[in-house]
Amino acid sequence: MSTTSPVASFYNDHSRTMIDWLKSWFLTIDHKRIAILYLITINIFFLLGGAAATVLRAELVTPQADLVQSDTYNKLFTLHGVIMIFFFLVPSIPAVLGNFLLPLMLGAKDLAFPRLNLLSWYVFFIGGLFALAATSLGGVDTGWTFYTPYSSTYANSNVILTATGIFIMGFSSILTGINFIVTIHKMRAPGLTWFRLPLFVWANYATSIIQVLATPVLGVSIALVAVERLLGVGIFDPALGGDPLLFQHLFWFYSHPAVYIMILPAMGVISELISCYSRKRVFGYEFIALSSIAIAVIGFFVWGHHMFVSSQSVYSGLVFSFLSYLVAIPSAIKVFNWTATLYKGSISYSTPMLYAMGFMGVFVIGGLTGLFLAASALDVHVHDTYFVVAHFHYIMVGGAIMAYLGGLHYWWPKITGRLYSEIWGRLSALIIFVGFNLTFFPQFFLGYLGMPRRYHVYPEEFQVLHVLSSAGSTILGIGYMIPIIYLLVSLRYGEIAKSNPWRAKGLEWQTTSPPPTENFEHTPIVTEEAYAYPPEEPERDAASYRPGSPL
Amino acid sequence: MWGFPLFPEQASTVAGQIDLLYFALVGLSLIFAGILPFVVLYLIVRYHRSMKADRSNPINSSLKLELTWSIIPFILSMGVFFWSTFLFFQINADPDDPLEIYVIGKQWMWHLQHPNGKRENNELHVPVGQPIKLIMTSQDVIHSFYIPAFRLKKDVVPGRYTTMWFEPTKTGEYHLFCAEYCGTEHSAMIGRVVVLPLPDYQRWLTTEEPAILPDGSTISTGVSSDSGGSMAEIGAQVFQQQGCVSCHRTDSAARAPVLNNIFGKPTSLASGETLTVDEEYLRESILRPQAKITVGYGPIMPTFEGQLTEDQVLQLIAYIKSLSDVDANEENQ
Ligand SMILES: [Cu+2]
Ligand SMILES: [Cu+2]
């Protein structure tokens, strides 16, 4: 990328040869460059996971198997799940936006352990290579959930390669988590007390705790699958004296909290967006901040809600159901506080704000349908059906990806020094919202009708709903392609961004766009809370509106 | 393809109750999902920067509001929690005097055996208006027995028995799905549940039909055939053939507990524990006898793990149960 901004940015380099240039990127310890490395890598994974989803949706247009046969279908949904969860969603907001912004928001020069940060990208990348190798050598067909004894004994696909990839990727998640926790504790600028931190930082703090505490359990469970497969040690397969449900307990002990690894940072982004585009301090700051921590803590004790029909005891069912309702409350608190933030604000419909509003709409539906699934008796019916598929896509695609895109747009000028096309931005936000809902809303009906997940042939009466869903996914797919195009175009042709194009609060906006390698010329000193918009700011902003200026 | 349903048929006693809970949740959701978006829409239009509005004295925190919107959802969700948990316990509590049917799942087929010895594959014939209990296990990986019209499913797990009961309320044919991903042909592991009036069911029980056994061989099944008679009768034969009878006998040469009248009764273990004898306990006592030793006996029973098929274990259990439950024994004839 050519750098035209007047002040030296972190893109500037003095490398004269190609090798130097490569070194300046692949051996960089600058958190901003590492964030860019992540950005590129995870977006490639996103495209791959999306391509798999496209084939799945195309296959599901008809009740028979026509496009792909069962084996291919099973490998495709496994690929889709593994890639999207472990190689896209888990790293997405923390590793890209978090990496880029955390030091900036804290007024720091870098993360606490810059080399560790680079290492975690390499570890991630190597993990990804293993997963890709598994795919190109024929794929794996266990589902991203790797349920035993299917995965440990019966499957004859590349389980071990994929498991190794996820095992390795887990370390990158842990390393990033440790790095963030230490950075937030130790590297805050003078005056930046805990309750002056942006909510994005709080969210990433809570996420990091989960990453550090839960990921090792994933590593262990997946390693045990490999051990049983390779050495025939009886751990999960009852034929060898193992217990198949043990795996589910271990797996969900990570994978439920993993949902919060994906959604908490998203919530952090939303708080930033809503505040900026309402020109107001976030309503109930402390409640939003602490609710992230509450979610992280309670989220560790709800894993059994994935096992209501697994033959676990009814009393476990009772406890896990209760805790699942409890964990929903902090999320509700956030939604209400965001809504209250809008009151008496001065709102603009900029692209990131549209994503934030879209997030709220779909997140509410995703969250509420979670309450259906937490109802043990109801889950008996809808467990492992499309109802679940719809629910978690509302949280993870509707929620996490929309927030990721909203955040990417919001901080794009900071990251690249360029402004994107506002018209295309808003248009694609709308297309994504419509496409998303058309894809996944019919799936709630499918699920309640009894359509099991992971079926590529199905009874004819489900076809209409499947066709609707596939039609929606086409729109959604187009919606995702548009930003890729205009964001890339903006790198060359976009208007040069000022330091603070959105007139937002937050230390990251006080430095140049894109920031210099050291982030700040002088370490900033913080004297006010986060989102310190003056009380008259909404009025002033509304008064400055002229007919004809952008909405 | 046209005229597609948006709501599944209700065909069991619990279906209506689960749907009621579902609609209650839909109603509650509408209060939030139906109102909140409009509040948000109203706010973003009302307070759009182009709109003249009173923006003075914005507040940015209020303990009262925070408490309100934490406590109300909490109370509502607790209501749902108690309701659903109550139902959940009901779904999981065994009914009185059910008709018992044995299910074996394997990649990628359901095998079902009725107490009288009749077997079927991927189909389950049951009488209407009677509680039915399925005792299920898997020969390989985890499957899940799912009947949407009954709103019920239960995982079918290798190495243990899971049970599920229902009472069909309407005759007809309903989907049977495997809901737990189990490998290549998972989506072909489907079938149907046929709910018949009692006389038709009884007639069906005695019609001869071929069935595939879990080991893959085909036999003709039905009581009049030479497939061996009822499950308990076949179980009695297995009991002889496997030499169980050399230890478990009523005469003075017995070196093991008599198995008459033990099912459903408490038993004392050498470890001091007392348990009620159920299918799971019998299974373990046969396959891994050392795990739980009956008080007063030595650990001399050999393990039968790997020597008996799932089918045979079920038959042995049916036999041991027939030694206990005279009523059920008669009913099954
Ligand atoms: Cu969960
Ligand atoms: Cu299956």
Side-chain angles (χ1 to χ4, degrees):
Chain A
M1 188 178 333
S2 66
T3 310
T4 37
S5 68
V7 190
S9 91
F10 75 96
Y11 293 105
N12 283 6
D13 63 282
H14 312 287
S15 42
R16 253 155 288 162
T17 63
M18 188 68 183
I19 304 286
D20 273 358
W21 182 81
L22 283 176
K23 270 192 193 160
S24 78
W25 278 94
F26 289 103
L27 295 178
T28 180
I29 50 168
D30 180 350
H31 66 103
K32 299 182 288 303
R33 287 193 167 209
I34 296 172
I36 305 272
L37 291 178
Y38 265 115
L39 177 72
I40 296 167
T41 345
I42 71 160
N43 280 320
I44 292 172
F45 279 118
F46 176 71
L47 290 178
L48 188 66
T54 312
V55 184
L56 297 176
R57 278 316 326 165
E59 165 55 38
L60 288 167
V61 169
T62 62
Q64 317 82 27
D66 11 48
L67 191 61
V68 291
Q69 298 303 313
S70 31
D71 203 35
T72 316
Y73 185 86
N74 298 341
K75 287 175 175 167
L76 282 169
F77 73 64
T78 305
L79 179 73
H80 171 69
V82 168
I83 296 282
M84 287 302 205
I85 290 179
F86 298 115
F87 295 98
F88 174 69
L89 282 169
V90 166
S92 63
I93 297 180
V96 177
L97 298 176
N99 230 330
F100 196 96
L101 294 164
L102 218 57
L104 289 169
M105 288 181 162
L106 297 176
K109 283 195 168 60
D110 205 317
L111 288 174
F113 309 114
R115 283 191 179 75
L116 200 65
N117 196 20
L118 180 65
L119 177 66
S120 73
W121 178 75
Y122 272 103
V123 170
F124 173 76
F125 193 75
I126 293 169
L129 287 184
F130 271 89
L132 292 180
T135 308
S136 40
L137 293 176
V140 57
D141 75 333
T142 58
W144 77 277
T145 45
F146 290 94
Y147 268 24
T148 53
Y150 183 67
S151 66
S152 59
T153 308
Y154 291 84
N156 35 32
S157 49
N158 295 311
V159 179
I160 297 201
L161 262 184
T162 316
T164 313
I166 294 172
F167 185 81
I168 296 175
M169 161 331 255
F171 284 97
S172 108
S173 199
I174 297 171
L175 295 183
T176 305
I178 294 174
N179 218 340
F180 280 13
I181 292 176
V182 176
T183 308
I184 296 171
H185 272 276
K186 291 286 170 205
M187 316 263 295
R188 282 172 284 130
L192 189 51
T193 57
W194 281 88
F195 283 98
R196 284 178 177 174
L197 288 175
L199 289 166
F200 181 76
V201 176
W202 273 100
N204 274 285
Y205 184 72
T207 309
S208 302
I209 293 177
I210 307 178
Q211 284 178 311
V212 171
L213 294 181
T215 318
V217 181
L218 172 74
V220 168
S221 43
I222 217 114
L224 289 177
V225 169
V227 166
E228 182 166 285
R229 243 184 116 79
L230 279 175
L231 310 175
V233 182
I235 302 163
F236 303 124
D237 186 354
L240 302 170
D243 179 354
L245 293 194
L246 175 64
F247 176 81
Q248 296 183 21
H249 283 291
L250 292 174
F251 180 80
W252 291 114
F253 185 81
Y254 166 79
S255 293
H256 187 84
V259 174
Y260 299 120
I261 296 181
M262 305 177 227
I263 201 69
L264 277 172
M267 292 165 152
V269 169
I270 298 302
S271 299
E272 301 296 317
L273 303 187
I274 290 187
S275 166
C276 169
Y277 293 105
S278 307
R279 319 295 312 148
K280 272 183 71 198
R281 182 168 203 244
V282 172
F283 194 92
Y285 168 94
E286 294 83 359
F287 287 87
I288 297 194
L290 294 176
S291 65
S292 291
I293 306 293
I295 290 175
V297 174
I298 307 172
F300 272 106
F301 303 101
V302 302
W303 78 91
H305 64 206
H306 297 269
M307 300 172 65
F308 287 141
V309 299
S310 70
S311 80
Q312 102 187 328
S313 93
V314 282
Y315 299 100
S316 315
L318 179 146
V319 172
F320 285 121
S321 170
F322 172 76
L323 291 168
S324 306
Y325 281 107
L326 209 59
V327 80
I329 305 296
S331 300
I333 292 177
K334 286 184 197 268
V335 172
F336 291 128
N337 279 301
W338 291 326
T339 310
T341 307
L342 302 171
Y343 179 64
K344 290 198 171 180
S346 174
I347 290 148
S348 58
Y349 302 155
S350 304
T351 308
M353 185 62 164
L354 293 187
Y355 277 113
M357 295 294 103
F359 172 95
M360 288 205 13
V362 297
F363 181 72
V364 165
I365 297 180
L368 286 167
T369 49
L371 302 183
F372 288 57
L373 296 167
S376 43
L378 199 53
D379 185 65
V380 170
H381 173 45
V382 288
H383 175 75
D384 268 339
T385 67
Y386 266 72
F387 196 93
V388 176
V389 176
H391 158 72
F392 71 72
H393 280 88
Y394 262 82
I395 300 287
M396 277 143 54
V397 182
I401 298 189
M402 248 185 235
Y404 169 70
L405 285 173
L408 197 61
H409 281 84
Y410 180 62
W411 284 294
W412 188 255
K414 184 55 62 185
I415 297 173
T416 66
R418 300 286 184 148
L419 293 174
Y420 52 84
S421 152
E422 190 60 44
I423 296 179
W424 282 107
R426 291 180 195 189
L427 188 71
S428 61
L430 285 177
I431 295 177
I432 288 174
F433 184 77
V434 171
F436 172 80
N437 281 293
L438 187 56
T439 309
F440 293 105
F441 204 74
Q443 297 186 358
F444 286 120
F445 289 94
L446 273 175
Y448 206 76
L449 279 168
M451 167 84 201
R453 64 194 283 202
R454 299 171 170 176
Y455 267 39
H456 72 303
V457 288
Y458 54 83
E460 273 189 9
E461 70 248 37
F462 299 146
Q463 187 177 11
V464 173
L465 289 164
H466 269 305
V467 170
L468 277 178
S469 178
S470 294
S473 71
T474 317
I475 301 178
L476 187 60
I478 294 170
Y480 285 142
M481 296 324 285
I482 300 175
I484 298 182
I485 298 170
Y486 68 75
L487 287 178
L488 285 177
V489 168
S490 80
L491 292 180
R492 182 165 278 274
Y493 301 103
E495 202 180 307
I496 305 278
K498 293 183 294 233
S499 300
N500 189 359
W502 320 124
R503 295 172 295 125
K505 294 282 170 179
L507 295 180
E508 78 269 29
W509 301 108
Q510 293 183 12
T511 183
T512 46
S513 301
T517 306
E518 317 69 46
N519 292 346
F520 299 97
E521 241 173 282
H522 309 285
T523 304
I525 293 169
V526 181
T527 53
E528 45 183 25
E529 53 191 20
Y531 320 110
Y533 295 101
E536 62 285 355
E537 167 68 14
E539 269 179 339
R540 198 165 54 202
D541 180 69
S544 74
Y545 180 81
R546 297 281 164 273
S549 50
L551 288 172
Chain B
M1 150 173 185
W2 307 111
F4 62 99
L6 282 177
F7 199 75
E9 217 169 329
Q10 293 180 342
S12 77
T13 46
V14 295
Q17 286 168 283
I18 291 188
D19 288 344
L20 194 66
L21 175 61
Y22 174 69
F23 284 120
L25 268 160
V26 170
L28 273 181
S29 306
L30 284 178
I31 298 182
F32 289 98
I35 294 179
L36 196 78
F38 288 99
V39 175
V40 170
L41 270 181
Y42 170 79
L43 289 173
I44 63 177
V45 173
R46 178 83 182 76
Y47 292 106
H48 186 263
R49 49 199 302 257
S50 65
M51 303 286 270
K52 291 216 167 18
D54 174 23
R55 291 188 174 81
S56 55
N57 311 316
I59 48 164
N60 46 33
S61 70
S62 149
L63 187 61
K64 238 197 247 155
L65 273 178
E66 299 290 347
L67 288 177
T68 317
W69 61 47
S70 320
I71 292 173
I72 293 181
F74 179 72
I75 293 175
L76 290 176
S77 64
M78 281 304 102
V80 176
F81 162 71
F82 281 115
W83 181 357
S84 111
T85 302
F86 182 76
L87 248 177
F88 185 61
F89 274 68
Q90 196 182 322
I91 292 172
N92 282 287
D94 275 356
D96 291 336
D97 247 344
L99 177 69
E100 292 182 343
I101 298 171
Y102 298 84
V103 180
I104 297 175
K106 60 170 268 186
Q107 285 177 323
W108 292 279
M109 181 182 95
W110 295 108
H111 178 86
L112 299 100
Q113 190 169 11
H114 296 253
N116 81 330
K118 173 96 180 193
R119 296 162 181 269
E120 50 184 333
N121 302 114
N122 299 332
E123 286 196 0
L124 169 60
H125 286 76
V126 287
V128 69
Q130 281 217 27
I132 288 144
K133 180 176 169 186
L134 304 180
I135 296 157
M136 311 187 285
T137 189
S138 163
Q139 223 173 254
D140 37 48
V141 302
I142 301 178
H143 306 275
S144 189
F145 201 87
Y146 179 31
I147 310 164
F150 295 172
R151 311 286 187 277
L152 291 173
K153 77 165 63 69
K154 188 68 159 251
D155 285 0
V156 177
V157 184
R160 70 174 70 180
Y161 293 130
T162 57
T163 62
M164 161 168 146
W165 78 270
F166 52 83
E167 186 180 323
T169 52
K170 247 171 49 184
T171 55
E173 288 185 9
Y174 308 103
H175 287 301
L176 161 64
F177 294 128
C178 172
E180 186 61 75
Y181 176 69
C182 56
T184 313
E185 295 303 332
H186 166 58
S187 47
M189 198 167 158
I190 59 173
R192 55 182 191 147
V193 176
V194 184
V195 180
L196 300 168
L198 189 58
D200 291 0
Y201 172 69
Q202 272 155 350
R203 197 168 324 117
W204 174 84
L205 271 183
T206 51
T207 357
E208 239 182 270
E209 273 169 319
I212 307 169
L213 293 182
D215 65 11
S217 59
T218 310
I219 59 153
S220 167
T221 116
V223 273
S224 60
S225 73
D226 48 16
S227 60
S230 75
M231 282 187 77
E233 282 161 20
I234 308 174
Q237 287 166 21
V238 178
F239 201 75
Q240 294 281 342
Q241 287 156 8
Q242 296 291 331
C244 315
V245 74
S246 64
C247 299
H248 294 282
R249 54 207 288 173
T250 36
D251 60 22
S252 55
R255 294 185 290 155
V258 182
L259 299 178
N260 292 357
N261 275 317
I262 60 163
F263 189 78
K265 311 261 158 49
T267 182
S268 303
L269 302 183
S271 64
E273 270 179 276
T274 312
L275 296 169
T276 307
V277 175
D278 59 6
E279 287 91 355
E280 189 64 47
Y281 172 76
L282 290 180
R283 176 192 175 88
E284 194 178 29
S285 292
I286 299 168
L287 296 180
R288 288 178 296 279
Q290 317 300 337
K292 297 198 175 82
I293 302 290
T294 315
V295 74
Y297 295 89
I300 54 162
M301 176 164 160
T303 168
F304 285 87
E305 184 119 63
Q307 324 228 348
L308 298 167
T309 62
E310 289 294 349
D311 214 18
Q312 286 174 316
V313 179
L314 283 174
Q315 285 153 350
L316 280 172
I317 290 174
Y319 167 63
I320 296 172
K321 281 161 83 172
S322 76
L323 298 175
S324 301
D325 194 334
V326 186
D327 292 346
N329 205 19
E330 271 167 6
E331 195 184 272
N332 295 345
Q333 295 308 304

